[in-house]
Amino acid sequence: MPCRSNKELNTMVISAKECTAKGKVADYIPALGKANPHDLSIAIHFPDGECISAGDVQKKFTLQSVSKVISLALVLMDRGRGYVFERVGMEPTGDPFNSIAKLETMAPGKPLNPMINAGALVVTHMIKGTSVADRFHRLLSFIHELANDKTINLCEEVASSEFETAYLNRALCFFLKQHQIIDENVEELIDLYTKQCSIEMNCLNLARIGLVFAMDGRDPQSGRQIIPIDVARICKTFMVTCGMYNASGEFAIKIGIPAKSGVSGGIMGSVPGKFGIGIFGPALDEKGNSIAGIRLLELLSKTYKLSMF
Ligand code: DON
């Protein structure tokens, strides 16, 4: 358990920052290419309301793939697990997040899990509502509740930058449509998905969301059960098995906590029953995970014996 010292956390951030030079900011979404590769910040949110942090924690970043855990929680609540897992699987792939390979060779009608792009697109497709705007609003309101912050919104610049360049995600959608897994207009689904990925927040917000998952879906401050226990458990299990893409196995061995990364450099961590973690470090390793963020989690896990295993 961390000794709740900002100073100690700051020392770890300084040490982990050294490896930012070996990473690279994502630029396949052009607007993400503007990030400063040397940034690194972290917040840890405890159930009693205390929060410790280090680095420029006010700096905002977009959720990108971290949003996949949140949209999964929403559709599991909306539709139930039978409906959801008829359409998306539960198995890790060992492939990069945007790969189309397994969709064709293993399960044409069903993406292998909700953390790869093919599966996440199916999940976003399942968000209930009467229009893209209505469905986005429902997701955003859910995030407001999880983070206890109604000011969170999307970054228009990142949303339109991704919408204009999401050729591979469009290809995945057309493949899924051909196999009747989705039946909506592809442009509308890409619009909703890119808006979902462009929801913007800081590390403090992300740590607060991680905390709700860590506490089995209960908001420790209000006592409200925001996410049913079984849904929170499913989400955390996916974070362990597929949260860091094709680096999830190594991450489980070296760090051993449920976590989800995004190409913006965000990582949400949930240490079961203990605390939530929000990290922002935009320099990525070759698998698309924050290079310094992972180093920082390694230091934290070793120092405070956080591994669940
Ligand atoms: O679909 C995409 O390519 C992005 N919006 C999200 C990808 C992502 O964050 C994968 N992360 N490692």
Side-chain angles (χ1 to χ4, degrees), residues 13 27 32-33 44 49-50 67 91 109 122 129 182-183 199 203 213 215 226 229 237 288 300:
V13 165
D27 55 9
L32 293 184
I44 300 182
E50 200 189 341
S67 70
E91 301 303 335
V122 175
I182 63 166
D183 57 8
I199 292 172
C203 281
F213 282 99
M215 301 311 286
I226 304 177
I229 296 175
T237 311
L300 270 174

Side-chain angles (χ1 to χ4, degrees), residues 136-153:
F136 178 69
H137 180 74
R138 287 194 60 240
L139 178 67
L140 193 60
S141 303
F142 183 47
I143 287 177
H144 288 166
E145 213 182 343
L146 292 168
N148 193 25
D149 183 348
K150 286 190 166 46
T151 67
I152 292 171
N153 208 337

Side-chain angles (χ1 to χ4, degrees), residues 94-95 241 243-253 285 287 289 294:
D95 294 331
T241 58
M244 308 301 284
Y245 296 99
N246 46 336
S248 298
E250 187 178 344
F251 187 87
I253 288 171
D285 61 22
K287 290 184 176 166
N289 294 315
I294 289 194

Side-chain angles (χ1 to χ4, degrees), residues 253-272:
I253 288 171
K254 290 190 176 159
I255 294 148
I257 63 165
K260 181 75 200 86
S261 70
V263 284
S264 53
I267 303 178
M268 178 176 82
S270 298
V271 182

Side-chain angles (χ1 to χ4, degrees), residues 28-29 63-66 68 97 117 162 169 193 197 245 260-264 287-289:
Y28 77 99
I29 299 172
L63 283 179
Q64 298 303 329
S65 286
V66 179
K68 292 171 180 173
F97 64 88
N117 282 9
E162 182 173 0
N169 283 333
Y193 174 77
C197 291
Y245 296 99
K260 181 75 200 86
S261 70
V263 284
S264 53
K287 290 184 176 166
N289 294 315

Side-chain angles (χ1 to χ4, degrees), residues 198-239:
S198 304
I199 292 172
E200 190 179 47
M201 62 180 64
N202 61 32
C203 281
L204 301 159
N205 299 132
L206 195 58
R208 178 67 164 67
I209 299 177
L211 173 67
V212 175
F213 282 99
M215 301 311 286
D216 293 331
R218 201 174 55 86
D219 178 338
Q221 274 156 296
S222 69
R224 234 175 69 68
Q225 192 75 41
I226 304 177
I227 305 169
I229 296 175
D230 65 317
V231 170
R233 187 184 58 77
I234 292 170
C235 292
K236 274 182 288 188
T237 311
F238 277 121
M239 287 162 76

